[in-house]
Amino acid sequence: MTDRAARTAGPPDDRPVALLLPGQGSQHVRMAAGLYGVEPAFTDAMDEALAALAAPGPLGRRATGLREDWLNSRDSAVVDHVTRSQPLLFAVDYALGRLVLDWGVRPVALLGHSIGEVAAAVLSGIFTLRDAAALVHDRVGRLADAPPGGMVAVAAAPEELAPYLGGGVVVGAVNAVRQTVLAGLADPLRATTEELRAAGFVVRPVAASTAFHSPALAPAMEGSEDRIAALPVGDPAIPVVSGYTARPLTAAEAKEPGFWSRQPVDPVLFWPALDLLLDGRDLVLVEAGPGQGLSQLARRHPAVRSGRSVTVPLLPSAPGPPEADLAAVRAAAERLRPGGLPPGRTAGPSGV
């Protein structure tokens, strides 16, 4: 569904809601910043998340902090770096999820992509915000020292790409039937990309300077299980469909430190997870994160193409002025609750 369709689609949808929470590659400068200081629930949740992420200490070697870089940096290289992309995606996904909950919407399921699964874990009650932020902080600190790498999206199925894989380049994500992400260290990934393009494949880079979801990150993540094991874990109050197993996350899995420590290394199985999520039920898929990448992928699914299920992104498809963020959220609210956004304490356009 386009932003325009969301604005003109009529009365609120009474189908159950599931949240889609995006991960690496969806970030951009000032993502969702147009809501800050304007939408109270989002602002409060974002403040809480940024404070929780700052509590263990600075992330990276920049003189400026997360909040400053989120609101003020116009440099995509800054926002794409692991020390900014991962914690800010976690915070934005979480804050947007909290915003939807504040509308009185009660999701029947959560599906996160990559770091989005950690945000889903907080919204579901598996982790507290403080403990999940500690997990993210530890993860990012480890990955910041990983060797340079990257990811590319290829318009092909994994089996078509198998002959081209090697040198540590692996399938990092299965996003759709013919949308596969490859990951690896910089030089081998560059060589594989050139080979694929020469063979006629359509390849585009993913905004990442780290080889997410590849064995290249295994050395960096060694020892992380001990840190995660110290965190208390609750049972999910909202079902989570794991993007790593493509099945509902069980209480036993959630309590297994290795499940979380392996996530930067293991591939993301978004399409099989989405297939399970949509199996036998019609849903409103609300994308609670920057951009509309997961909505675009979901629109390829037969359940969405047929109209049985629909997508409702909370934010615009591309970066824009602050008022575009607010317009997109208000359009989504019209789809999800009677009367749209509730009256409440708003600061008006904040100019941040």
Side-chain angles (χ1 to χ4, degrees):
M1 177 175 294
T2 64
D3 291 337
R4 182 176 184 277
R7 289 194 295 270
T8 60
D13 203 308
D14 60 0
R15 283 171 283 196
V17 168
L19 297 188
L20 306 180
L21 300 117
Q24 187 72 34
S26 62
Q27 76 279 352
H28 59 78
V29 296
R30 287 180 52 81
M31 51 186 169
L35 305 179
Y36 190 70
V38 181
E39 290 299 333
F42 174 84
T43 301
D44 291 347
M46 199 69 191
D47 283 343
E48 294 166 3
L50 291 172
L53 287 162
L59 276 168
R61 300 178 179 88
R62 288 181 55 76
T64 50
L66 275 178
R67 183 188 303 275
E68 292 80 3
D69 285 342
W70 173 49
L71 293 175
N72 300 324
S73 178
R74 265 60 174 183
D75 186 347
S76 60
V78 169
V79 178
D80 289 345
H81 192 269
V82 63
T83 59
R84 292 297 177 263
S85 62
Q86 292 281 289
L88 287 177
L89 280 168
F90 165 75
V92 168
D93 284 4
Y94 164 75
L96 287 171
R98 282 278 304 275
L99 176 62
V100 173
L101 294 175
D102 188 67
W103 294 344
V105 175
R106 292 296 174 261
V108 298
L110 309 169
L111 170 55
H113 192 295
S114 190
I115 191 67
E117 187 152 313
V118 183
V122 181
L123 295 169
S124 73
I126 293 171
F127 293 122
T128 66
L129 175 61
R130 175 181 166 182
D131 289 338
L135 183 157
V136 172
H137 194 284
D138 179 72
R139 179 184 293 185
V140 168
R142 294 171 182 278
L143 298 182
D145 295 326
M151 308 174 80
V152 295
V154 189
E159 53 270 21
E160 296 177 79
L161 301 177
Y164 300 91
L165 301 183
V169 176
V170 299
V171 171
V174 180
N175 283 339
V177 173
R178 288 184 54 78
Q179 185 66 51
T180 304
V181 174
L182 303 183
L185 296 180
D187 289 341
L189 184 64
R190 187 179 303 111
T192 299
T193 298
E194 292 172 357
E195 188 177 2
L196 287 169
R197 285 177 171 155
F201 289 95
V202 176
V203 185
R204 65 171 181 81
V206 174
S209 55
T210 301
F212 290 105
H213 309 300
S214 80
L217 298 187
M221 294 305 297
E222 286 182 5
S224 62
E225 288 187 30
D226 294 338
R227 178 69 183 86
I228 298 169
L231 302 178
V233 179
D235 294 335
I238 304 173
V240 174
V241 175
S242 175
Y244 293 92
T245 65
R247 62 176 183 263
L249 179 62
T250 66
E253 285 173 325
K255 292 178 170 67
E256 171 54 49
F259 175 81
W260 303 100
S261 69
R262 290 192 304 270
Q263 288 190 351
V265 179
D266 288 349
V268 173
L269 307 176
F270 176 75
W271 186 257
L274 180 68
D275 205 32
L276 178 75
L277 178 66
L278 292 171
D279 185 25
R281 57 181 173 180
D282 303 335
L283 297 173
V284 178
L285 301 171
V286 176
E287 184 167 5
Q292 298 182 6
L294 297 188
S295 296
Q296 292 167 2
L297 293 171
R299 289 176 197 133
R300 303 184 186 190
H301 195 280
V304 179
R305 292 204 314 268
S306 69
R308 299 192 308 273
S309 293
V310 296
T311 61
V312 177
L314 292 182
L315 292 174
S317 59
E323 52 269 23
D325 289 345
L326 188 59
V329 157
R330 289 181 171 167
E334 294 290 341
R335 293 297 313 275
L336 298 175
R337 70 185 315 277
L341 285 177
R345 50 185 181 86
T346 60
S350 64
V352 297

